[in-house]
């Protein structure tokens, strides 16, 4: 399962889900991402956390004689919380949040016996008549289908392996958002684990499931590698729960009990048999060096980072300059709205602004339904225009008044004087802070991953989730790419400063 | 010809110019003197439209008239006035991002809309005229104060104005550089082909006495003398 890369600060929230009476017991700190996590973990109307995994955690705590304590974190980084010292306040004891049984995780953590068997479900809009089956994701003609998946999920890996470049994968950290985009027909389809699919099919009548569910897999609980006693205890509790019908009751309550779980009752160990379309990769036992592919993918994503920066920053500069000119030279009544523009944009997070531009704006003004790339460029440009406006304003105010007077005395119009005399000097003054902002924007492009854009940081996230053995190397390569790309900006700035210096001899 | 009639300029509660009336003829060199704070520079700035004045009138030729008013004057009038009346400032105010040549070209190109080639020809001729033909590519920061002021004079001349107003053109310069600048102004004054009226506010009285045709003496915002140099009250010419 994969629901959501929350925006929450890791371990910002700790909520007990066990009875207050059990305070003296040792806690069982279970890591989860409750944001948009129905039916796994979510809040009811009263704000209480519910979900089949909340009830599972309660059951497991009861069996182990420990008090379950929910700890919130970003879904795809929950295993990293297990790496923290057990006695640190933000540490967790287990990851219990629809995590699949994966070899890459088993090498670092201990997995329990499976507690749920899932399959991948293809969801689309109920009126999408041309999408009746998985094979329709790759039509012979026409544009590529856009398919929303969640980062680091089995659905992402499956879609990537099965369809490669034949579909447009839109990677999003939030299942609710992906579902909304399919409902609004801004994405053609989404691949979800059957628990999420079951829940959202019920909640969102505009959706339908097409094709047969695919790629079965297991949800397991991960503990620290050395915590074998805890893992064994949890496994025993899961087996007991399957045997005595406790888990069945929990899953039935959420509409999640199906034939696969019956099977799970009798085969709690061993590999789940591969289905008909998972055989190709399974047949190949030879381990392929992933680095050429990973480097290729990182370079492709770096290209997107450069593209986003190179398109949004000139726009930000232009907008910022206009705002600054309006504030310094415009009519007095204009200063107030422009001041509000600057303060609102500087005072609210870029992340929220991107959300607004991409997700909320189309609801208010349908004609402003932007593609992720358009929204990314515009969102970054608008956000940074506020900072640039202040840079330029400082630059404009630094020009001596005599410069404008000299230009006017020559008979230039105020506009011409600003364009040919004032702005060129102001631009030269603000080269250092503007370059600084460009480098900052360059790195801030990573925030665009929340609106389905795969840039360098997002790609790093994707890659390390499936190649955890290379986590340090990937981080090093990614950081290196950022540095290699941003350092020339600093050189360019220095060159520009020299080029526009008022001291060198040049032609007219 | 520039005609100033009953010009009144207030700055807050203070009256800077109090009914100034004076006329500068075509091709005349006019020196304006007076104690500090008498309103000399303000008068020039009002004539050029850089300062708004409350009452009175500035007329350039028969076609351009700027009338005093509490509200800003019409933009087109200001533009026409400034294209007819150039100004040279105490602090030069050259554009630091442009070369000497670029500074002189800026008026013809950006104010008059001349082609760059034509403007460059004008600029090179004027640079030669002020003795700086070899410094065309220099940025202002690479020029001495005297050279900068000579470029500023060439820049003012480049738009071919009917008059040029010099606001303390030598007060930021040492005596040697002052002499260079005054020599350039003197050359222009003695050039029969140059029909530009030159109005010079300066504390540097001696060269002014030599080149001026007319002297105007201001005190406390009022004209107390306007006439030939020889008849000017001697107390103000020392």
């Amino acid at each position: 399962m994969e629901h959501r890369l929350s925006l929450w600060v890791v371990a910002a929230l700790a909520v007990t889900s066990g009875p207050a009476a059990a305070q003296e017991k040792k806690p069982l700190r279970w890591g989860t991402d409750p944001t948009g996590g129905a039916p796994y973990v979510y809040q009811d109307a009263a704000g209480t956390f519910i979900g089949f995994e909340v009830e599972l955690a309660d059951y497991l705590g009861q069996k182990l004689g420990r008090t379950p304590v929910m700890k919130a974190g970003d879904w795809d980084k929950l295993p990293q919380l297990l790496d923290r010292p057990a006695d640190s306040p933000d540490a967790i004891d287990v990851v219990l949040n629809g995590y699949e049984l994966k070899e890459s995780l088993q090498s670092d953590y201990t997995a329990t016996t499976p507690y749920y068997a899932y399959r991948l479900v293809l969801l689309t809009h109920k009126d999408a008549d041309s999408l009746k089956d998985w094979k329709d994701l790759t039509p012979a003609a026409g544009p590529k289908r856009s398919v929303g998946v969640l980062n680091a999920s089995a659905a992402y890996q499956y879609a990537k392996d099965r369809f490669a470049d034949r579909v447009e994968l839109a990677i999003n950290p939030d299942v609710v958002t992906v579902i909304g985009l399919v409902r609004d027909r801004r994405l053609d389809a989404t691949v979800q684990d059957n628990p999420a699919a079951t829940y959202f099919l019920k909640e969102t009548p505009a959706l339908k499931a097409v094709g047969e569910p695919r790629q079965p897999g297991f949800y397991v609980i991960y503990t620290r590698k050395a915590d074998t006693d805890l893992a064994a205890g949890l496994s025993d509790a899961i087996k007991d729960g399957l045997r005595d019908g406790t888990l069945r009751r929990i899953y039935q309550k959420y509409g999640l009990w199906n034939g696969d779980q019956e099977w799970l009752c009798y085969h709690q160990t061993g590999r789940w048999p591969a289905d008909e379309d998972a055989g190709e990769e399974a047949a190949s036992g030879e381990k392929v060096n992933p680095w050429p592919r990973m480097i290729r993918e990182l370079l492709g994503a770096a290209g997107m980072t450069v593209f986003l920066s190179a398109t949004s920053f000139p726009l930000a500069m232009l907008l910022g300059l206009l705002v600054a000119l309006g504030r310094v030279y415009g009519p007095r009544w204009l200063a107030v709205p422009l001041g509000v523009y600057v303060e609102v944009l500087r005072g609210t997070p870029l992340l929220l602004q991107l959300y607004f531009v991409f997700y909320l704006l189309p609801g208010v003004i349908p004609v402003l339904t932007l593609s992720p790339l358009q929204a990314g460029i515009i969102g970054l440009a608008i956000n940074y225009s506020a900072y640039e406006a202040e840079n330029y304003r400082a630059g404009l105010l630094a020009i001596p008044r005599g410069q404008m007077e000299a230009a006017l005395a020559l008979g230039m119009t105020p506009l011409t004087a600003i364009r040919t005399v004032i702005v060129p000097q102001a631009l030269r003054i603000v080269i250092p802070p503007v370059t600084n902002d460009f480098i900052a924007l360059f790195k801030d492009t990573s925030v665009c991953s929340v609106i389905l854009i795969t840039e360098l940081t997002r790609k790093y996230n994707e890659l390390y989730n499936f190649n955890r053995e290379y986590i340090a190397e990937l981080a090093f390569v990614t950081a290196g790419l950022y540095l290699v790309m941003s350092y020339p900006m600093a050189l360019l700035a220095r060159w520009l400063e020299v080029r526009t210096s008022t001291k060198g001899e040049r032609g007219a | 010809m520039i005609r100033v009639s009953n010009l009144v300029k207030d700055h807050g509660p203070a009256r800077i110019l109090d009914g100034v009336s004076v006329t500068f003829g075509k091709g005349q060199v006019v020196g304006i003197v007076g104690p500090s704070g008498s309103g000399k520079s303000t008068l020039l700035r009002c004539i050029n439209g850089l300062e708004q004045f409350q009452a009175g009138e500035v007329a350039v030729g028969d076609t351009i008239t700027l009338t005093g008013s509490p509200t800003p004057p019409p933009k087109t009038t200001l533009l026409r006035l400034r294209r007819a009346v150039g100004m040279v400032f105490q602090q030069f105010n050259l554009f630091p991002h442009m070369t000497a040549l670029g500074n002189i070209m800026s008026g013809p190109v950006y104010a008059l809309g001349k082609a760059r080639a034509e403007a460059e020809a004008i600029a090179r001729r004027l640079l030669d005229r002020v003795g700086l033909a070899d410094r065309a590519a220099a940025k202002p920061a690479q020029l001495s104060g005297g050279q900068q002021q000579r470029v500023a004079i060439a820049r003012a001349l480049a738009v071919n104005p009917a008059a040029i107003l010099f606001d303390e053109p030598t007060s930021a310069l040492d005596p040697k550089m002052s002499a260079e600048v005054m020599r350039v102004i003197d050359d222009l004054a003695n050039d029969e082909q140059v029909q530009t009226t030159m109005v010079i506010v300066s504390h540097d009285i001696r060269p002014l006495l030599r080149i001026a045709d007319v002297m105007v003496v201001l005190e406390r915002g009022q004209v107390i003398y306007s006439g030939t140099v020889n008849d000017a009250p001697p107390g103000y010419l020392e």
Side-chain angles (χ1 to χ4, degrees):
Chain A
M1 120 67 196
E2 54 291 313
H3 35 108
R4 164 147 194 134
L5 167 67
S6 89
L7 308 169
W8 299 29
V9 175
V10 170
L13 178 68
V15 185
T16 57
S17 55
Q23 286 298 319
E24 310 83 33
K25 293 179 192 170
K26 189 179 177 188
L28 177 65
R29 297 167 300 179
W30 58 289
T32 185
D33 183 349
T35 318
Y40 302 84
V41 181
Y42 59 111
Q43 283 177 293
D44 63 12
T48 308
F49 282 99
I50 57 170
F52 77 92
E53 287 183 339
V54 175
E55 297 194 24
L56 179 60
D58 286 346
Y59 162 72
L60 294 172
Q62 194 183 2
K63 289 288 282 184
L64 297 180
R66 294 172 69 166
T67 305
V69 176
M70 195 176 97
K71 289 271 194 178
D74 288 344
W75 184 78
D76 61 352
K77 294 182 180 62
L78 289 174
Q80 289 168 32
L81 294 181
L82 287 175
D83 299 337
R84 304 181 74 81
D87 55 356
S88 70
D90 51 356
I92 59 173
D93 301 312
V94 300
V95 172
L96 167 53
N97 202 202
Y99 258 76
E100 303 96 357
L101 183 62
K102 284 200 288 195
E103 274 182 32
S104 60
L105 285 172
Q106 280 181 288
S107 61
D108 293 332
Y109 312 103
T110 301
T112 64
T113 194
Y115 65 85
Y116 190 80
Y118 71 90
R119 287 178 188 258
L120 299 179
V121 178
L122 181 61
L123 298 177
T124 186
H125 194 274
K126 67 178 171 45
D127 297 333
D129 296 333
S130 62
L131 230 171
K132 294 190 175 67
D133 198 2
W134 292 85
K135 66 178 176 358
D136 298 328
L137 284 178
T138 52
K144 285 182 187 175
R145 302 276 197 191
S146 54
V147 180
V149 288
L150 302 184
N151 186 35
S153 67
Y156 165 73
Q157 189 65 48
Y158 176 75
K160 196 161 178 249
D161 292 344
R162 291 289 297 169
F163 306 111
D165 297 333
R166 291 175 294 152
V167 296
E168 191 94 41
L169 277 186
I171 297 157
N172 194 283
D174 180 352
V175 69
V176 175
T177 304
V178 172
I179 293 291
L181 291 171
V182 176
R183 179 200 59 214
D184 298 341
R185 306 199 75 169
R186 296 175 71 186
L187 289 176
D188 291 319
T190 178
V191 180
Q192 299 291 337
D193 291 4
N194 67 284
T198 303
Y199 177 84
F200 283 102
L201 278 170
K202 198 169 72 180
E203 293 291 311
T204 319
L207 295 186
K208 67 179 178 186
V210 294
E212 286 297 313
R214 286 186 172 185
Q215 190 81 353
F218 301 126
Y219 289 161
V220 296
I221 300 169
Y222 287 101
T223 68
R224 289 186 178 77
K225 192 78 178 170
D227 244 347
T228 48
D229 287 350
L230 176 60
L234 289 167
S235 293
D236 289 344
I238 290 167
K239 287 174 189 173
D240 288 349
L242 285 166
R243 263 196 301 272
D244 67 16
T246 304
L247 297 195
R248 181 184 188 130
R249 278 193 296 280
I250 293 172
Y251 297 160
Q252 278 178 332
K253 182 176 170 185
Y254 291 91
L256 303 178
W257 185 262
N258 56 25
D260 288 344
Q261 315 317 315
E262 299 274 8
W263 191 93
L264 192 62
C265 286
Y266 298 102
H267 301 83
Q268 289 159 21
T269 56
R271 291 190 67 82
W272 189 261
D275 75 350
E276 68 285 355
D277 50 46
E280 293 161 27
E281 308 106 70
S284 167
E286 194 178 330
K287 181 135 174 118
V288 180
N289 177 10
W291 276 106
R293 175 184 57 80
M294 291 197 298
I295 293 290
R296 211 169 40 244
E297 290 187 18
L298 282 173
L299 286 175
M304 174 56 80
T305 293
V306 170
F307 181 76
L308 275 173
S309 312
T311 49
S312 59
F313 200 67
L315 273 176
M317 289 171 69
L318 181 66
L319 265 176
L321 182 59
L322 293 175
V323 170
L325 287 171
R327 291 186 80 180
V328 176
Y329 293 111
R332 203 168 291 176
W333 60 262
L334 196 57
V336 171
L338 291 179
V340 170
Y341 173 90
V342 168
E343 295 311 328
V344 167
L345 289 170
R346 284 199 311 180
T348 55
L350 170 62
L351 185 80
L352 281 181
Q353 291 164 22
L354 287 173
Y355 260 102
F356 178 80
V357 170
F358 185 66
Y359 295 114
L360 303 183
L361 201 56
V364 184
I365 311 170
V367 76
L368 289 180
T369 302
L370 302 172
S371 71
L373 196 56
Q374 289 168 332
I377 291 169
I378 290 172
L380 283 168
I382 290 176
N383 177 266
Y384 268 81
S385 69
Y387 297 97
E388 297 325 295
E390 287 304 271
N391 283 338
Y392 292 132
R393 195 164 72 92
L396 292 170
L397 292 174
I399 306 300
R401 203 177 69 156
Q403 291 291 299
M404 176 60 103
E405 290 186 346
L408 295 178
L410 282 171
M412 293 186 201
T413 62
L415 208 60
T416 304
I418 288 168
R419 183 173 59 82
T420 62
V421 175
I422 305 300
V423 168
Q425 293 184 58
L427 289 184
R428 185 182 58 77
I429 292 172
V430 301
I431 286 173
V434 167
T435 311
N436 206 37
D437 282 349
F438 184 66
I439 293 171
L441 175 137
F442 195 72
K443 290 177 287 183
D444 269 356
T445 53
S446 60
V447 182
C448 290
S449 60
V450 299
I451 55 167
L452 315 179
I453 294 174
T454 301
E455 41 58 63
L456 191 52
T457 302
R458 158 64 66 212
K459 181 54 74 178
Y460 162 72
N461 269 311
E462 286 171 37
L463 288 175
Y464 89 61
N465 273 299
F466 295 101
N467 303 275
R468 283 177 183 270
E469 65 273 37
Y470 301 122
I471 189 165
E473 292 90 334
L474 279 168
F476 183 76
V477 170
T478 304
L481 279 172
Y482 273 115
L483 187 63
V484 163
M485 292 188 291
S486 61
Y487 184 61
M489 304 302 165
L491 293 181
L492 176 70
R494 213 160 298 154
W495 177 80
L496 273 175
E497 277 182 63
V498 174
R499 177 89 176 77
T500 58
S501 162
T502 56
K503 297 199 172 93
E505 292 217 9
R506 299 204 173 275
Chain B
M1 188 184 73
I2 298 176
R3 195 183 64 252
V4 178
S5 315
N6 297 316
L7 196 146
V8 174
K9 164 73 182 169
D10 293 330
H11 185 74
R15 178 146 291 189
I16 312 296
L17 295 173
D18 188 7
V20 171
S21 294
V22 67
T23 301
F24 311 131
K26 185 177 179 183
Q28 263 187 346
V29 178
V30 181
I32 300 182
V33 296
S36 294
S38 58
K40 305 183 294 293
S41 292
T42 305
L43 175 61
L44 294 196
R45 293 171 65 80
C46 288
I47 293 172
N48 192 250
L50 290 176
E51 297 273 357
Q52 193 178 327
F53 50 93
Q54 281 69 41
E57 195 177 271
V58 173
V60 179
D62 298 326
T63 55
I64 307 169
T65 304
L66 188 63
T67 308
S69 160
T71 56
K75 287 175 185 168
T76 49
T77 307
L78 270 182
L79 212 56
R80 289 173 63 220
L81 177 81
R82 287 168 179 164
R83 283 174 186 172
V85 181
M87 187 132 175
V88 173
F89 298 87
Q90 182 179 345
Q91 296 297 335
F92 330 132
N93 290 348
L94 290 182
F95 307 137
H97 59 299
M98 296 181 189
T99 60
L101 189 71
N103 265 280
I104 302 170
M105 288 169 64
S106 62
V109 172
Y110 301 126
L112 305 182
K114 287 189 188 293
R116 292 191 72 82
E118 187 185 353
E120 186 173 338
I122 294 169
R124 286 196 184 279
R125 182 172 53 75
L126 287 169
L127 264 179
D128 189 37
R129 177 78 196 249
V130 297
L132 292 170
D134 59 335
R135 304 310 312 271
K139 291 273 181 74
Q142 295 173 302
L143 300 172
S144 69
Q147 289 173 325
Q148 288 190 56
Q149 196 60 299
R150 281 144 70 192
V151 172
I153 293 169
R155 181 176 69 175
L157 282 168
V159 291
N160 197 24
I164 298 181
L165 313 175
F166 295 82
D167 185 10
E168 301 275 11
T170 58
S171 64
L173 302 173
D174 63 30
K176 185 166 170 273
M177 290 180 187
S178 292
E180 279 176 27
V181 172
M182 289 311 282
R183 196 161 43 242
V184 168
I185 296 172
D186 200 5
D187 285 349
L188 292 171
N190 292 324
D191 187 337
E192 287 182 2
Q193 289 182 322
V194 177
Q195 290 297 304
T196 310
T197 302
M198 291 194 280
V199 182
I200 307 165
V201 166
S202 179
H203 283 102
D204 202 359
I205 305 292
R206 203 170 297 164
L208 203 56
L209 293 175
R210 196 175 63 247
I211 61 175
D213 304 313
V214 173
M215 291 301 286
V216 173
V217 180
L218 276 181
E219 189 173 289
R220 290 184 191 150
Q222 291 181 326
V223 176
I224 60 166
Y225 175 78
S226 176
T228 62
V229 175
N230 292 337
D231 295 336
Y236 293 94
L237 305 179
E238 290 164 359

